[in-house]
């Protein structure tokens, strides 16, 4: 008899034939630049979002202290006893860090985006979303049941046209990544803030890859662009540069009170272990105490981008530690990634649907922990576009 799941075989076959089958790899070491093994192979790691090098060691003392005090599992929703003193302290410290009235800690950055967007707009409202936004923003828009208007990547005149056409009378939300996760380019935040205020729209900025890295004080690209004003809704994650885990929304106190009541991914999910919040608290302190990490990282990233350009690689509009080496064809991008891997260097290949068709790339993520020698080895192994 046919099994109702038989269709999956065909669907997987199809993926495999189009060269888009993904498979899991297994890491047997900490997330570190050079002490890194994937599928039992030692590799030089240029695939990590641990941009400041906090993930493997720096947060452990805080984790141990929290486990001693609160144990491991949190055992309940944050509304029903799962939220510990560490979570509460992390929320007020995140608000202070972001310069906002208040903040709320979510199980992940994904949950923060989905929960926040779906709480801000609903049926009858309109969301304006950049074409390169992260999947969690896209899913939040869908879940909200608001009308979703996708504007061309960073195209402010198209955004304005859509805002004019949408008319007034409904809630409007503009949502964008600040640092785009696949191409390492940035949103025009000052223009977006202007437009949002001119058209009376809410503005939500996802700083997932920028928190801890950009801005004089490491607060992200909103800080650098000088748009950290009151109405802004900021989303971030503790899971990338901060080397910990979990997501947050920061903004006005009334926004956070609303999310506590409405954001289903917040209160229908068990609070993360206290120790996770403790690690995030320690990471925020390190961003304040060790500015040289972000400074060195950004200097190294600038040099690497220059060298790649000189060698004829297309790195798009990257101005950050995320450097796409754009190859174009899917299979060709996977071949570049395999060549690197054979040479002992891990740089993940990224293909559709994560990037548009014909724009497959290998994505170099630079971290504070990479030495000049390691960056040279990446360049040598990568070679030139015609190798
Ligand atoms: C990674 C990412 C998220 C999700 O954050 P997690 O904490 O990993 O769930 C959200 N937005 C953007 C832009 C991201 O790159």
């Amino acid at each position: 008899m046919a099994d109702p799941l038989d269709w999956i075989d065909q669907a997987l076959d199809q993926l495999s034939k189009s060269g888009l089958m993904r498979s899991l790899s297994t890491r047997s070491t900490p997330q570190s630049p050079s002490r890194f093994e994937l599928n039992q192979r030692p590799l030089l790691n240029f695939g990590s979002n641990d941009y400041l090098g906090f993930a493997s060691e720096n947060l452990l003392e805080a984790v141990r202290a929290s486990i001693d005090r609160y144990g491991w599992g949190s055992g309940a929703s944050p509304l029903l006893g799962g939220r510990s003193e560490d979570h509460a302290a992390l929320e007020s410290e995140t608000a202070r860090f972001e310069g906002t009235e208040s903040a709320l800690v979510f199980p992940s950055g994904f949950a923060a985006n989905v929960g926040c967007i779906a709480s801000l707009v609903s049926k009858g409202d309109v969301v304006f979303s950049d074409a390169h936004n992260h999947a969690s923003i896209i899913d939040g828009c869908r879940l909200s049941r608001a009308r979703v208007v996708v504007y061309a990547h960073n195209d402010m005149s198209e955004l304005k046209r859509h805002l004019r056409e949408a008319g007034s009378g409904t809630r409007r939300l503009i949502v964008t990544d600040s640092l785009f996760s696949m191409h390492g380019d940035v949103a025009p935040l000052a223009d977006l803030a202007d437009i949002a205020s001119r058209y009376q729209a809410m503005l939500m900025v996802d700083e997932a890859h920028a928190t801890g890295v950009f801005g004089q004080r490491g607060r992200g690209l909103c800080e650098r662009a000088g748009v950290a004003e009151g109405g802004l809704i900021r989303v971030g994650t503790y899971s990338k540069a901060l080397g910990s885990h979990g997501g947050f929304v920061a903004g006005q106190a009334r926004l956070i009170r609303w999310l506590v009541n409405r954001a289903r991914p917040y209160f229908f999910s068990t609070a993360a272990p206290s120790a996770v919040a403790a690690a995030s608290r320690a990471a925020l302190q390190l961003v304040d105490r060790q500015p040289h990490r972000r400074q060195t990282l950004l200097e190294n990233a600038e040099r690497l981008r220059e060298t790649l350009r000189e060698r004829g690689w297309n790195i798009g509009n990257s101005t950050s530690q995320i450097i796409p080496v754009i190859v174009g064809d899917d299979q060709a991008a996977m071949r570049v990634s395999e060549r690197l891997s054979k040479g002992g260097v891990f740089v993940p290949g990224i293909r559709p649907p994560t990037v548009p068709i014909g724009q497959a790339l290998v994505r170099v993520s630079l971290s504070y922990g990479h030495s000049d020698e390691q960056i040279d080895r990446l360049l040598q192994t990568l070679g030139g576009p015609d190798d």
Side-chain angles (χ1 to χ4, degrees):
M1 235 174 59
D3 182 318
L5 291 178
D6 282 348
W7 64 270
I8 293 178
D9 294 333
Q10 280 168 25
L12 285 173
D13 255 9
Q14 197 59 44
L15 272 186
S16 187
K17 282 197 190 104
S18 46
L20 294 178
M21 179 77 104
R22 294 155 193 246
S23 57
L24 292 169
S25 52
T26 305
R27 175 170 52 86
S28 43
T29 56
Q31 185 66 261
S32 120
S34 53
R35 201 158 58 86
F36 180 74
E37 256 181 47
L38 214 50
N39 297 336
Q40 309 291 333
R41 291 195 47 216
L43 292 165
L44 189 52
N45 179 9
F46 284 95
S48 164
N49 302 322
D50 176 31
Y51 303 122
L52 299 177
F54 292 160
S56 59
E57 287 167 24
N58 298 70
L59 313 177
L60 297 183
E61 203 179 309
V63 167
R64 289 191 189 105
S66 181
I67 290 174
D68 285 346
R69 187 172 171 93
Y70 302 102
W72 182 246
S74 77
S77 157
L79 281 187
L80 303 174
R83 181 173 176 265
S84 74
E85 290 163 320
D86 266 331
H87 294 106
L90 176 59
E91 287 171 351
S92 50
E93 287 159 14
T94 300
R96 201 174 320 134
F97 183 89
E98 293 287 323
T100 55
E101 286 174 358
S102 193
L104 194 65
V105 174
F106 281 73
S108 68
F110 199 110
N113 270 329
V114 168
C116 188
I117 296 171
S119 303
L120 290 171
V121 285
S122 58
K123 212 163 175 202
D125 301 329
V126 193
V127 197
F128 304 86
S129 175
D130 187 285
H132 285 191
N133 277 345
H134 188 258
S136 55
I137 293 180
I138 297 171
D139 286 4
C141 291
R142 288 179 182 153
L143 193 67
S144 74
R145 291 186 290 167
R147 183 157 71 84
V148 183
V149 176
V150 176
Y151 60 91
H153 177 50
N154 277 349
D155 187 335
M156 295 298 101
S157 39
E158 192 183 317
L159 171 62
K160 280 188 273 191
R161 182 165 54 75
H162 286 310
L163 278 157
R164 278 193 300 272
E165 284 169 8
S168 50
T170 58
R171 275 186 232 158
R172 286 114 71 87
L173 171 67
I174 303 170
V175 57
T176 187
D177 284 12
S178 66
L179 176 55
F180 290 90
S181 50
M182 291 303 136
H183 291 92
D185 59 332
V186 308
L189 292 171
D191 294 344
L192 279 160
D194 263 4
I195 292 170
S197 95
R198 185 133 46 98
Y199 290 87
Q200 294 274 295
M202 300 177 280
L203 176 59
M204 172 174 155
V205 177
D206 176 354
E207 294 256 44
H209 290 276
T211 303
V213 176
F214 284 92
Q216 193 73 36
R217 300 167 64 225
R219 270 50 175 169
L221 285 161
C222 288
E223 183 198 354
R224 194 182 73 171
V227 295
E229 43 76 43
L232 187 69
I233 300 156
R234 213 122 22 119
V235 173
T237 179
Y238 305 105
S239 323
K240 288 173 180 160
L242 298 178
S244 178
H245 196 84
F248 64 84
V249 178
Q252 295 180 357
R254 58 188 173 180
L255 166 73
I256 302 308
R257 277 203 298 279
W258 181 244
L259 294 180
V260 166
N261 285 279
R262 277 292 178 276
R264 292 157 65 93
Y266 175 67
F267 55 81
F268 281 114
S269 213
T270 300
S274 258
V276 173
S280 302
R281 295 179 65 192
L284 292 181
Q285 287 187 9
L286 285 173
V287 169
D288 279 344
R289 289 193 195 138
Q290 305 195 353
H292 66 279
R293 290 192 183 233
R294 58 181 173 273
Q295 289 153 6
T296 304
L297 169 64
L298 290 178
E299 284 161 19
N300 289 347
E302 186 171 356
R303 267 204 316 268
L304 176 56
R305 290 194 308 269
E306 273 167 21
T307 312
L308 286 166
R309 280 212 179 90
E310 278 163 14
R311 300 198 176 172
W313 286 107
N314 173 9
I315 60 164
N317 296 318
S318 168
T319 52
S320 70
Q321 79 283 12
I322 299 173
I323 310 175
V325 174
I326 301 169
V327 179
D329 176 66
D330 300 350
Q331 317 275 354
M334 296 324 279
R335 277 198 301 276
V336 172
S337 176
E338 275 157 33
R339 184 169 80 215
L340 284 158
S341 166
K342 286 208 178 89
V345 181
F346 175 55
V347 185
I350 312 281
R351 14 177 206 180
T354 311
V355 290
I357 292 168
Q359 290 182 39
L361 52 93
V362 296
R363 178 170 168 273
V364 176
S365 300
L366 205 60
S367 164
Y368 165 75
H370 287 121
S371 65
D372 291 347
E373 291 73 34
Q374 290 167 341
I375 296 172
D376 283 346
R377 198 169 138 217
L378 163 71
L379 286 163
Q380 268 169 21
T381 317
L382 178 65
D386 302 320
D387 293 350

